[in-house]
């Protein structure tokens, strides 16, 4: 892809993001529920004090006024102050984002590492017991609700066998100064192997829970496309040439069979961010998903608006990456 | 062998020993807690969970003992000089966590920061201003006495003061309100170790602690070296963490998990009377519930004892008025009997011999209980459909503060952390007040509540609230249901800790054996 084409694609993002900002703002502002009443709850307050609180949050202004203030500030990357944390929304989100990204990436790795070999094996040994088991397994993987599967894992590995922790990112005897915010990387950079192991033990169950539906989908995609490729003439030709089966499968067939897998994986990574909200709650994972759900219920407008925007940018960028990967893997495709 | 598999194998081998569970350091006391603190600034939040965490770091002028009596903490003594003037003599020798001495100056600064408009900086007023009542001024009268002067009598002041924690003037001036959100310098039994946002708040024992309220023994530094509030929002996971031995205390144990936690060898259940009253609000502006007879029919239709016994597992106290049995001014009231036949007869008298059809709004968390109530109402001729809504939406629909409202019935509740009728009776029953979801309007009651709010004679004041309770018991704008207990799961290794009715988790005296 040429540089100008790349730039053009990036420029297309601008109207998309403007549209998303407007939707994020309106969605929150038009949802019933008054942030001030939620903040006060059952505690006593006089009408004057209530008005003062409303003024302090900027909620005494008209909807239109608030929208323009939001847009103006957002263009300068200022998303306002969280009603509850009383700190800039960008700070609050930045604290929670690494945990979410780390979990998503590990879930993605878990999914790729299990799904691709299983999918290939199922295709090669079509209709074998392994193939059937994998197919049934993938059906279960797509259908099991994450919160339920997560709780089952907790009951087995944490409560019964007591070999993995129920929740959190790392134990409290470990102290890891932040470098990247990703504990698995930071612990290695500090050469603290014990802490790395501890972080790995903590991330295992949530990553498996989060990665399960994706594993199932990727396995089916890989299996189907591998079967498709194996029927192609060039594979028959390679076989006829007397190439080893291994070489045919891995050098010729797999490379082409992985094209759909890669693009589905990139798009599904976006949905990992959505699945995070539930998995993070079940495993007490201190990520962004949980924070956003809590903020929606509390009508913490600035935080939700910024987070929706962030999700949208991520999703759009992931699609963009998928497109680029597609052209790399398959040079015949031009963007 | 290629480089990649070799690397993977090496990593796997290297991490094997590290994968084994680390040896448990027994001294950490870990609380599995529903929510993270929003901020560590005692003056900049309105949330109970945040206050629970903050009160282990910061102490207040006054606090409450296990029997919920208000006792001095940082104040050595409180003297009421006149109906509007209170003097607090400040204990000497109290240190902040940074080692500086706490003085009356800090107390005045703290109270000004909460009560004076714009005192938080950047034109912001503390969201906790409303919890301090009509404060006119805070002054230091001699070196160690702080005087609070009120604009008008407000007998609730001592009951509300435990909710305000004393901050260091120098520390706030140095770090600003922005810094106070994530840093702390209190006088409480624990100081902040590390705050892993969304994950845990790690607190360390403050060895120079002055000891806390002398009325609450033992007095001295805290028992454990480290306390950790570990955030686990999902109830099932919180219970699992307790059963697995990962945590020592969990809050909000669901009633359906009580048996499981009791049956487990290393854990137990602790309860304390709560402060939240549950009720059914009936829309008095609506077509059917404007008739007293229909409201009485609804009250007679519900078997509260059965629901408390079967659904709430016996962990609630029934009420016949708005006040919880532990609240100031609470008294024995005429009980409304469970009598579906009488309910049907009352409906017929009101002109509905074939019964009525209504909808009951409630939040998802209370769906089971609401369904049980609905089936009882239906049996008595009030055919009820449960509609589940989201909290923020229902609040806007029902708590209209006098504006017209739609809806028939609302299964809801109101909290009363101060255990003083002032902040539950007035908002839920005074004409057009914030929490008056029934839309009840009774000028005689309004006058009585206004009078009681400023009455300084405790006995007279309690008498007024009894009179008010009798009025609402007769008018039945709500069906008053129960006050649930707060339920905690605890490890049997824990000693020296008991839950507190104001949801404070005071870990000063808690030990791990």
């Amino acid at each position: 892809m040429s540089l100008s084409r790349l730039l053009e694609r990036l420029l297309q993002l601008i109207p998309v993001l403007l549209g998303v900002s407007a939707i994020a703002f309106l969605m929150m502002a038009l949802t019933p529920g008054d942030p001030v009443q939620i903040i006060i709850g059952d505690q006593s307050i006089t009408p004057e004090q209530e008005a003062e609180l409303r003024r302090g949050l900027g909620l005494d202004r008209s909807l239109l006024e608030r929208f323009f203030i939001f847009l103006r500030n957002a263009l300068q990357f200022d998303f306002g102050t969280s009603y509850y944390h009383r700190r800039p929304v960008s700070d609050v989100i930045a604290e929670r984002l690494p945990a979410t990204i780390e979990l998503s990436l590990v879930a993605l790795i878990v999914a790729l590492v299990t799904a691709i070999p299983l999918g290939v094996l199922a295709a090669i040994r079509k209709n074998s017991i392994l193939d059937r088991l994998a197919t049934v397994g993938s059906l279960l993987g797509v259908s099991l609700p994450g919160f339920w599967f997560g709780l089952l894992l907790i009951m087995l590995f944490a409560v019964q066998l007591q070999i993995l922790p129920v929740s959190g990112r790392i134990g409290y005897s470990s102290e890891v100064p932040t470098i990247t915010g990703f504990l698995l990387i930071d612990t290695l950079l500090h050469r603290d192997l014990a802490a790395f192991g501890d972080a790995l033990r903590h991330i295992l169950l949530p990553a498996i829970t989060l990665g399960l539906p994706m594993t199932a989908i990727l396995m089916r995609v890989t299996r189907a496309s591998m079967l498709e490729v194996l029927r192609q003439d060039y594979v028959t030709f390679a076989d006829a040439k007397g190439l080893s089966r291994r070489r045919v499968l891995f050098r010729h067939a797999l490379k082409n069979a992985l094209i759909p897998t890669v693009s589905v994986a990139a798009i599904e990574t976006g949905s990992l961010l959505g699945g995070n909200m539930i998995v993070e709650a079940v495993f007490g994972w201190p990520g962004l998903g949980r924070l956003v759900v809590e903020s929606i219920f509390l009508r913490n407008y600035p935080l939700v608006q910024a987070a929706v925007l962030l999700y949208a940018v991520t999703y759009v960028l992931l699609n963009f990456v998928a497109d680029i990967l597609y052209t790399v893997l398959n040079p015949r495709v031009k963007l | 062998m290629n480089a990649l598999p070799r690397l993977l194998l090496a990593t796997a081998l290297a991490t094997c020993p590290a994968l084994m569970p680390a040896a448990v350091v027994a001294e950490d006391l870990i609380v599995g807690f529903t929510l993270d603190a929003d901020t560590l600034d005692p003056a900049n939040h309105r949330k109970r969970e945040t206050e629970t965490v903050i009160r282990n770091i910061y102490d207040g002028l006054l606090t409450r003992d296990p029997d919920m009596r208000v006792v001095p903490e940082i104040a050595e003594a409180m003297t009421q000089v006149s109906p509007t003037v209170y003097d607090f003599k400040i204990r000497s020798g109290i240190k902040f966590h940074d080692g500086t001495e706490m003085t009356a100056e800090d107390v005045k600064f703290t109270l000004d920061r909460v009560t004076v408009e714009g005192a938080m900086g950047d034109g912001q007023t503390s969201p906790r201003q409303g919890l301090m009542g009509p404060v006119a001024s805070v002054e230091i009268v001699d070196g160690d006495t702080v005087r609070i002067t009120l604009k008008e009598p407000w007998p609730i002041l001592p009951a509300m003061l435990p909710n305000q924690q004393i901050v260091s003037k120098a520390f706030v001036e140095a770090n600003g309100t922005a810094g106070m959100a994530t840093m702390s310098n209190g006088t409480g039994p624990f100081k902040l170790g590390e705050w892993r946002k969304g994950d845990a708040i790690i607190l360390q024992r403050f060895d120079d602690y002055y000891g806390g309220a002398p009325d609450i023994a033992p007095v001295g530094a805290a028992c454990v070296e480290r306390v950790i509030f570990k955030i686990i929002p999902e109830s099932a996971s919180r219970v699992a963490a307790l059963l697995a031995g990962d945590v020592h205390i969990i809050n909000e144990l669901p009633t359906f998990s009580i048996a499981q936690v009791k049956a487990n060898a290393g854990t137990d259940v602790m309860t304390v009377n709560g402060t939240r009253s549950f009720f059914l609000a009936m829309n008095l502006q609506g077509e059917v519930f404007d008739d007293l007879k229909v409201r009485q029919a609804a009250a007679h239709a519900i078997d509260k004892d059965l629901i408390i016994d079967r659904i709430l597992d016996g962990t609630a106290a029934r009420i016949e008025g708005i006040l919880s049995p532990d609240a100031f001014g609470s008294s024995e009231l005429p009980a409304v009997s469970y009598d579906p036949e009488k309910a049907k007869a009352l409906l017929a008298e009101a002109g509905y011999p074939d019964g009525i059809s209504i909808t009951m709004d409630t939040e998802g968390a209370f769906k089971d209980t609401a369904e049980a109530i609905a089936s009882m109402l239906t049996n008595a001729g009030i055919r009820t459909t449960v509609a589940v809504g989201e909290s923020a939406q229902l609040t806007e629909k029902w708590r209209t503060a006098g504006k017209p409202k739609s809806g028939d019935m609302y299964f809801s509740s109101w909290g009363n952390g101060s255990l003083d009728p002032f902040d539950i009776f007035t908002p839920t029953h005074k004409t057009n007040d914030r929490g008056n979801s029934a839309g009840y309007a009774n000028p005689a009651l309004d006058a009585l509540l206004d009078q009681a709010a400023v009455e300084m004679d405790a006995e007279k004041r309690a008498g007024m609230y009894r009179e008010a309770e009798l009025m609402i018991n007769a008018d039945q704008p709500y069906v008053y249901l129960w006050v649930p207990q707060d339920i905690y799961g605890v490890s049997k290794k824990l000693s020296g800790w008991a839950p507190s009715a104001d949801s404070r988790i005071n870990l000063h005296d808690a030990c791990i054996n």
Side-chain angles (χ1 to χ4, degrees), chain A residues 7-126:
Chain A
L7 276 177
E8 200 185 316
R9 285 291 304 254
L10 282 173
L11 283 177
Q12 282 171 3
L13 289 180
I14 294 171
V16 172
L17 292 181
L18 273 178
V20 169
S21 323
I23 292 171
F25 177 86
L26 287 174
M27 225 166 45
M28 269 331 271
L30 298 179
T31 309
D34 176 7
V36 176
Q37 288 298 329
I38 301 170
I39 290 171
I40 306 165
D42 298 348
Q43 295 174 322
S44 55
I45 197 158
T46 64
E48 297 77 37
Q49 290 163 343
E50 191 183 322
E52 174 62 23
L53 189 59
R54 196 175 295 282
R55 190 196 59 78
L57 298 177
L59 288 168
D60 55 338
R61 297 163 194 270
S62 73
L63 189 66
L64 205 65
E65 223 177 320
R66 271 160 47 207
F67 181 57
F68 283 117
I69 292 174
F70 164 74
L71 268 191
R72 190 191 63 203
N73 293 342
L75 284 175
Q76 301 162 35
F77 295 100
D78 170 9
F79 296 99
T81 305
S82 161
Y83 295 165
Y84 288 85
H85 306 87
R86 304 269 168 169
R87 287 186 290 139
V89 158
S90 44
D91 287 3
V92 179
I93 289 182
E95 285 158 5
R96 307 287 283 262
L97 194 58
T100 289
I101 296 178
E102 185 172 39
L103 180 59
S104 301
L105 286 180
V106 175
L108 176 69
I109 292 169
V110 167
L112 289 174
V113 166
T114 18
I116 295 175
L118 276 178
V120 171
L121 270 178
I124 298 171
R125 310 214 175 124
K126 199 183 159 203

Side-chain angles (χ1 to χ4, degrees), chain B residues 158-189:
Chain B
M160 297 302 272
L161 271 175
N163 299 321
Q164 308 295 346
Q165 294 80 39
I166 305 304
V167 298
S168 152
K169 182 183 179 196
F171 190 77
V172 176
E173 283 175 349
N175 298 293
T177 288
M180 288 296 286
T182 54
M183 292 186 282
S184 79
N185 184 27
T187 57

Side-chain angles (χ1 to χ4, degrees), chain B residues 246-396:
Chain B
D246 286 5
V247 300
H248 302 104
I249 301 174
I250 58 169
N251 69 332
E252 291 188 23
L253 178 73
T255 46
F256 53 79
S257 298
I258 290 178
Q260 190 187 13
V261 172
K262 277 186 178 162
N264 185 49
T267 57
D268 209 350
V269 173
M270 287 177 109
T271 57
V272 64
N273 288 342
T275 54
R276 180 167 284 277
S277 298
F278 278 75
F279 44 75
L280 295 175
M282 293 169 280
N283 185 358
L284 271 67
Q285 302 160 0
E287 275 171 31
V288 286
F289 287 120
D290 62 342
D291 187 333
L292 174 63
K293 288 203 169 84
V294 182
R295 300 200 297 271
Q296 284 171 335
H300 282 294
I302 297 163
D303 188 349
K304 297 184 224 179
D305 293 332
L306 187 68
I307 294 179
I308 291 174
D309 189 41
R310 295 293 163 80
I311 296 183
L312 304 176
D313 210 39
T315 58
R318 64 177 280 167
I319 47 175
E320 306 297 339
I322 190 69
L323 298 180
S324 93
D326 293 336
F328 173 84
S330 145
S331 58
E332 194 87 13
L333 295 169
V336 182
S337 59
Y338 167 58
D339 190 345
E341 291 313 314
K342 190 168 176 188
K344 282 180 195 160
L346 281 163
L347 279 180
E349 276 178 49
Y352 303 106
D354 301 325
I356 51 173
S357 297
I358 62 156
T359 301
M360 184 203 296
D361 288 319
T362 191
E363 288 172 40
F366 307 115
K367 184 162 179 282
D368 290 351
T369 315
E371 295 279 6
I373 295 173
S375 79
M376 288 172 177
L377 287 168
T378 304
N379 277 343
I382 304 173
R383 290 176 297 276
T384 308
T385 314
V386 173
V388 173
E390 187 221 7
S391 160
Q393 275 175 302
L394 291 177
T395 307
E396 192 161 277

Side-chain angles (χ1 to χ4, degrees), chain A residues 33 39 41-44 49 52 55-56 84 86 95 166-167 170-172 174 196 201 281-282 290 297 299, chain B residues 15 18-19 38 44 46 123-125 129-130 196-198 226 230 234 237 246 276 390 396 414-415 434:
Chain A
I39 290 171
D42 298 348
Q43 295 174 322
S44 55
Q49 290 163 343
E52 174 62 23
R55 190 196 59 78
Y84 288 85
R86 304 269 168 169
E95 285 158 5
V166 174
S167 74
I170 195 161
Y172 303 113
S174 318
F196 174 77
R201 288 177 58 233
V282 171
R290 226 176 75 196
F297 285 123
R299 304 288 189 270
Chain B
T15 50
L19 278 174
D38 287 334
N44 213 0
R46 292 271 312 201
Q124 295 287 322
T125 305
Q129 191 195 36
R196 300 180 182 173
K197 312 267 170 22
R226 230 161 59 132
K230 185 178 171 67
E234 168 60 41
S237 309
D246 286 5
R276 180 167 284 277
E390 187 221 7
E396 192 161 277
W414 195 270
R434 286 181 57 232

Side-chain angles (χ1 to χ4, degrees), chain B residues 180-250:
Chain B
M180 288 296 286
T182 54
M183 292 186 282
S184 79
N185 184 27
T187 57
F190 296 97
K191 54 187 179 183
L192 179 66
E194 189 190 353
W195 185 8
R196 300 180 182 173
K197 312 267 170 22
D199 181 14
I201 299 162
I202 304 173
L203 306 178
Q204 306 214 306
R205 179 166 66 201
F206 176 43
D207 290 323
D208 284 340
Y209 185 51
Y210 67 98
D215 299 86
I216 309 172
V219 177
C223 178
V224 289
E225 253 173 58
R226 230 161 59 132
V227 153
I228 297 164
F229 280 89
K230 185 178 171 67
I231 314 308
I232 315 177
E234 168 60 41
S235 322
S237 309
R238 223 163 40 247
V239 173
L242 179 72
L243 297 178
D246 286 5
V247 300
H248 302 104
I249 301 174
I250 58 169

Side-chain angles (χ1 to χ4, degrees), chain B residues 40-43 54 57-60 74 94-114 119-120 164-177 179-181 183-188 206:
Chain B
L40 295 181
D41 187 344
I54 286 179
I57 307 175
Y58 288 90
D59 277 357
I74 279 177
I94 296 182
K95 282 196 172 120
F96 282 111
H97 296 160
D98 65 1
T100 55
E101 189 109 354
M102 194 215 64
T103 65
E105 196 64 47
D106 295 304
V107 176
K108 172 180 161 51
F109 177 80
T110 300
L111 297 176
D112 281 344
R113 190 162 177 259
V114 173
M120 299 289 287
Q164 308 295 346
Q165 294 80 39
I166 305 304
V167 298
S168 152
K169 182 183 179 196
F171 190 77
V172 176
E173 283 175 349
N175 298 293
T177 288
M180 288 296 286
M183 292 186 282
S184 79
N185 184 27
T187 57
F206 176 43

Side-chain angles (χ1 to χ4, degrees), chain B residues 402-466:
Chain B
K403 292 189 204 85
K405 71 178 99 199
S406 58
D408 303 319
M409 188 182 262
Y410 177 31
F411 176 56
S412 184
S413 68
W414 195 270
N416 185 212
S418 67
L419 284 172
D420 190 283
F422 166 77
D423 68 354
I424 184 166
F425 220 133
T426 307
T428 53
H429 286 79
K430 198 175 164 187
T431 307
N432 297 342
D433 215 309
R434 286 181 57 232
N436 191 342
S437 36
Y440 181 53
N442 180 348
L445 180 78
D446 293 351
L448 188 58
L449 289 177
D450 284 346
Q451 238 183 312
V454 295
E455 174 57 57
M456 296 310 295
D457 183 319
E459 207 172 311
K460 263 196 205 161
R461 189 163 176 259
M464 288 173 171
Y465 282 118
R466 164 145 182 96

